[in-house]
Amino acid sequence: MSNVISSLSTTLSSAINSVQKEIVDTQKQLASGIKTLNSAEIGIVTRLSAQAAGYKSVTQNIAAGTNVINVAQTALSSISTILSQMKDIATQAANAGLTSGVGSDRAALDTTFVQLRSQVDSLITNAGVNGENVLTLAATSNLTIQTGITGLAP
């Protein structure tokens, strides 16, 4: 997924640079008096300027979407690691050879397990971007990223 986003971002950046170069070249020609534009050319310059602005917005949207994905991926990876630790602790706690009661091995494992559970809860609660929790967002609504200049999300 991030390869597609990276590739799209590179393509859009290249297109933006190309359009901006054309605009700068035309502006230099106009400023120096080398060339005057007819109405068709003025329309083309206006359209290209609008497209360049649109591509810039798309690039920013893709960067924001990448950020959301990275936050979610990091949180989920951390949660996965903690859950693996919790599984190991549960397996150890099931050992019949452990002592029970206050200050026992089993009580220490239980305390560690509860702390890990608290870390998972914290990761879920704090996995956010711009005030939106990216882990609960997927459960309640769709995440849409505008990646085109036509006004329609793909």
Side-chain angles (χ1 to χ4, degrees), residues 3 9 44 64 126 149:
N3 286 341
S9 179
I44 291 170
N126 296 315
I149 61 170

Side-chain angles (χ1 to χ4, degrees), residues 40-154:
E41 291 170 327
I42 290 172
I44 291 170
V45 169
T46 302
R47 180 181 54 80
L48 290 174
S49 295
Q51 281 181 346
Y55 284 129
K56 183 177 180 183
S57 295
V58 167
T59 301
Q60 291 169 344
N61 291 348
I62 290 171
T66 301
N67 188 34
V68 169
I69 291 167
N70 287 340
V71 168
Q73 190 173 29
T74 300
L76 291 172
S77 176
S78 296
I79 290 169
S80 176
T81 300
I82 292 171
L83 290 176
S84 178
Q85 292 173 349
M86 291 172 77
K87 177 185 170 201
D88 291 343
I89 289 172
T91 302
Q92 290 174 19
N95 184 345
L98 289 179
T99 58
S100 296
V102 177
S104 69
D105 294 336
R106 189 167 280 125
L109 289 172
D110 185 52
T111 299
T112 303
F113 191 91
V114 169
Q115 290 171 345
L116 290 172
R117 169 60 194 211
S118 176
Q119 288 179 20
V120 169
D121 290 342
S122 178
L123 284 166
I124 291 170
T125 301
N126 296 315
V129 175
N130 296 329
E132 290 289 333
N133 186 303
V134 297
L135 297 181
T136 59
L137 179 67
T140 59
S141 65
N142 291 328
L143 176 64
T144 304
I145 301 169
Q146 176 67 37
T147 60
I149 61 170
T150 62
L152 301 172

Side-chain angles (χ1 to χ4, degrees), residues 11-29:
T11 301
L12 291 174
S13 293
S14 176
I16 290 169
N17 291 337
S18 175
V19 168
Q20 287 177 336
K21 182 186 178 312
E22 288 180 37
I23 290 170
V24 168
D25 289 345
T26 301
Q27 287 174 338
K28 284 180 183 175
Q29 289 176 357

